[in-house]
Amino acid sequence: MHYWLMKSEPDAFSYDDLVAKGKAEWDGVRNHAAQGHMKAMRKGDLAFFYHSNIGVEAVGIMTIVEEAAPDSTDETGKWIAVHVAPREKLAKPVTLTAMKADPALADMAMLRQSRLSVSPLTKEQFDHIVAMSKA
DNA sequence: GCCAACGTTGGC
DNA sequence: GCCAACGTTGGC
């Protein structure tokens, strides 16, 4: 089991949009580092849904339901996508500010490279953010 | 193969 | 709307 954090601008696609659809292809990722992380995802892995630009916070947890397959929005055949489904909405969103302020998350990949749209989390980091959402 | 120019992402 | 970080492109 591995843990991830995935960014989306909520005015384009939000966590509530995912809940409404039930399942969605996480497409449009055009960055090699982020693609590498998506290729490493396995069915059953968990990922935070993070709202960039608006909110700037983790809002929910998703399950990876289908592993890497060709991105249906890509005509070149070079890029892959995974499929995700909503698991649970966080009781309280965890903001980027709160993550940055927490020493336990100092090594988080996203904090070290803010533009990375798909990033890995350790189990400790994942559990810590879940705990913050319930505090 | 280096590096400057340029475009995009994303936080503020 | 600005700007820093970072990726990509193209000239040499």
Side-chain angles (χ1 to χ4, degrees):
Chain A
M1 163 88 72
H2 289 93
Y3 302 90
W4 311 95
L5 182 147
M6 303 172 84
K7 292 184 183 181
S8 176
E9 298 188 23
D11 55 354
F13 187 67
S14 71
Y15 186 76
D16 288 341
D17 292 335
L18 177 61
V19 170
K21 288 185 80 171
K23 171 182 170 182
E25 180 184 51
W26 199 273
D27 54 32
V29 175
R30 299 290 182 270
N31 168 284
H32 290 289
Q35 284 271 304
H37 295 314
M38 289 207 297
K39 284 177 189 163
M41 290 179 180
R42 293 296 171 257
K43 206 173 282 194
D45 283 358
L46 298 180
F48 285 113
F49 194 124
Y50 174 92
H51 283 177
S52 60
N53 290 319
I54 301 169
V56 193
E57 58 198 4
V59 294
I61 299 172
M62 308 182 274
T63 307
I64 307 304
V65 292
E66 285 179 38
E67 297 175 10
D71 181 331
S72 68
T73 67
D74 168 40
E75 290 166 11
T76 69
K78 286 193 295 192
W79 305 101
I80 57 90
V82 298
H83 281 71
V84 298
R87 180 183 172 92
E88 63 174 308
K89 192 166 185 166
L90 298 181
K92 201 167 55 110
V94 178
T95 64
L96 178 63
T97 309
M99 294 185 222
K100 280 183 175 169
D102 198 315
L105 300 177
D107 290 330
M108 250 179 80
M110 183 192 65
L111 298 183
R112 300 209 154 192
Q113 193 183 338
S114 65
R115 285 185 48 194
L116 192 55
S117 61
V118 178
S119 60
L121 294 171
T122 65
K123 176 167 174 38
E124 288 73 22
Q125 290 163 349
F126 182 88
D127 289 344
H128 192 80
I129 295 170
V130 170
M132 289 166 79
S133 75
K134 293 173 178 167

